[in-house]
Amino acid sequence: EVLERLKGDPALRHIPVHMMSVEKAVPGAFGKGIVGFLTKPVSREDLEQAFDKIEEILSGGVRRVLLVEDDPNQRRSIVRLLGDIDVEIQEAETGAAALAALRNGHFDCVILDLNLPDCSGFDVLEEMRSWQRPPATPVIVYTGQLLSEEDEERLRPYASSVIIKGVMSPERLLDETALFLHRVVARMPAGKRDMILSLYDGEAVFENRTVLLVDDDMRNVFAIGRVLEERGMEVVRAANGRKGLEALEARPDIDLVLMDIMMPEMDGYEAMRAIRSQERFRSLPVIALTAKAMRDDREKCLEAGASDYLPKPVDVERLLSLLRVWLYR
């Protein structure tokens, strides 16, 4: 609990935390940003190694990041986002190149896409962990692939964090890398600092915002509407796509749309296409909600005009994270 509170505070999260306990390492502790874990009884040599690790972090040297991504446009975008005088980024286009780089040099963090031209990112993770001793290099999986429960279970032992491209946004990627690199948020360039702080001052972004909730299931409308209203948002409700379009016409102050897909009269796909056909709504954030969980659903929603995608049943924390990102923009 102390670790979570420290790492949840932008003013404190850069402080290195090394844990020790009579118990074995808590699952997920490295994913929360600890630098090491010792199991008691602890020897003098163990303590010296722990303090050496902490001293290395506090020295303020350049942090090294390995970016494993085959798309050159994505690589350029990520380098622009993360690059700074205290961060050095080495790029790898394939799994083989990534493993060679990891064997030949030290990295403070790895950003890994799962879809690589020569192998799967899962293969890279399994190979890494077969020869890396704990604490292993933190790995942020940054992928456009919609993950199944089986995929998530397979990633859990290896990945420190998983971010879905277009869902958790570049803000999340910047935030997660800053956590694992132990960067002092207050010393980061103003634009990047504000991106991170916006995620932590999340409640303020909700106040006095208007959200259009388009869904024919009154149970969802009630449950989601209550969550949003409790955070200071006004919720405009519509039972289908046609009524949603009418609401947009009547309320030009709407800041964001939550759009169900399967509805009578006019479904979400048709409604989103109608919204995007109007110039004034081209930049309006629209988050698609669907009960289906097929892998191609995300692509269909984005093609129809959705800014983002969220499967049902809606995870409240994930919904609020998406709202923070899109309302901040």
Side-chain angles (χ1 to χ4, degrees):
E1 185 179 350
V2 173
L3 175 65
E4 289 178 349
R5 292 182 66 177
L6 282 169
K7 296 305 180 183
D9 187 337
L12 303 175
R13 66 203 298 266
H14 62 279
I15 299 172
V17 178
H18 198 297
M19 299 187 78
M20 61 181 181
S21 174
V22 293
E23 306 290 342
K24 292 183 178 180
V26 179
F30 284 98
K32 295 184 185 299
I34 67 170
V35 301
F37 191 100
L38 292 175
T39 302
K40 297 177 181 179
V42 177
S43 68
R44 182 182 182 88
E45 182 182 2
D46 290 335
L47 283 174
E48 288 176 347
Q49 290 178 352
F51 282 113
D52 285 344
K53 177 68 173 178
I54 293 168
E55 185 177 3
E56 176 188 340
I57 292 170
L58 294 177
S59 66
V62 174
R63 308 290 198 254
R64 299 193 71 223
V65 176
L66 177 62
L67 171 58
V68 189
E69 168 66 66
D70 64 320
D71 185 329
N73 293 325
Q74 283 278 354
R75 288 202 307 275
R76 282 193 292 271
S77 176
I78 293 171
V79 169
R80 282 197 303 270
L81 176 71
L82 304 181
D84 213 332
I85 57 173
D86 62 340
V87 178
E88 176 186 310
I89 301 176
Q90 181 172 333
E91 301 174 38
E93 298 181 34
T94 65
L99 291 170
L102 286 163
R103 285 193 175 95
N104 295 326
H106 167 75
F107 293 93
D108 299 288
C109 182
V110 176
I111 300 170
L112 174 68
D113 186 19
L114 292 180
N115 297 314
L116 300 171
D118 60 336
C119 66
S120 164
F122 290 102
D123 299 326
V124 174
L125 286 168
E126 289 168 0
E127 178 68 18
M128 280 179 63
R129 293 307 187 247
S130 71
W131 44 263
Q132 278 197 347
R133 295 179 58 192
T137 307
V139 177
I140 300 171
V141 170
Y142 191 55
T143 180
Q145 178 177 326
L146 186 60
L147 302 177
S148 65
E149 288 186 13
E150 182 182 347
D151 292 334
E152 292 180 1
E153 189 66 29
R154 191 176 173 192
L155 284 174
R156 191 166 290 119
Y158 306 114
S160 304
S161 177
V162 178
I163 301 174
I164 306 299
K165 295 174 183 176
V167 173
M168 292 305 188
S169 84
E171 284 89 340
R172 279 292 311 280
L173 181 61
L174 179 64
D175 177 49
E176 293 287 350
T177 52
L179 172 67
F180 295 123
L181 299 179
H182 306 283
R183 301 181 72 187
V184 181
V185 174
R187 297 178 190 167
M188 294 174 68
K192 297 179 181 181
R193 181 179 66 240
D194 291 345
M195 287 175 71
I196 290 177
L197 292 178
S198 72
L199 297 175
Y200 288 86
D201 188 20
E203 297 302 307
V205 77
F206 298 143
E207 294 177 7
N208 301 316
R209 297 301 191 109
T210 303
V211 174
L212 171 60
L213 175 55
V214 187
D215 196 321
D216 65 320
D217 188 330
M218 287 302 105
R219 294 168 300 177
N220 289 329
V221 171
F222 177 78
I224 296 174
R226 184 175 62 179
V227 168
L228 302 186
E229 288 170 341
E230 286 175 349
R231 284 158 177 81
M233 287 177 274
E234 179 184 356
V235 179
V236 178
R237 296 164 172 83
N240 57 53
R242 180 180 57 77
K243 291 183 178 179
L245 293 174
E246 291 173 358
L248 276 176
E249 289 289 338
R251 294 290 303 269
D253 59 330
I254 287 172
D255 298 295
L256 182 142
V257 179
L258 294 174
M259 180 71 71
D260 186 30
I261 296 301
M262 306 306 292
M263 296 181 291
E265 293 192 48
M266 179 185 286
D267 66 19
Y269 295 123
E270 189 177 353
M272 288 189 292
R273 291 189 186 98
I275 290 172
R276 295 307 186 209
S277 68
Q278 301 182 55
E279 183 64 33
R280 57 184 169 151
F281 296 138
R282 291 286 170 81
S283 61
L284 177 67
V286 179
I287 298 174
L289 308 175
T290 175
K292 296 173 65 180
M294 303 301 290
R295 287 182 180 272
D296 61 348
D297 280 350
R298 177 174 175 270
E299 286 69 28
K300 288 181 180 178
C301 290
L302 296 178
E303 287 173 4
S307 310
D308 251 320
Y309 166 94
L310 194 60
K312 291 181 179 180
V314 173
D315 180 288
V316 171
E317 289 305 316
R318 191 173 176 189
L319 170 63
L320 293 175
S321 293
L322 280 183
L323 291 177
R324 288 186 184 100
V325 169
W326 288 104
L327 290 174
Y328 172 72
R329 293 185 177 200

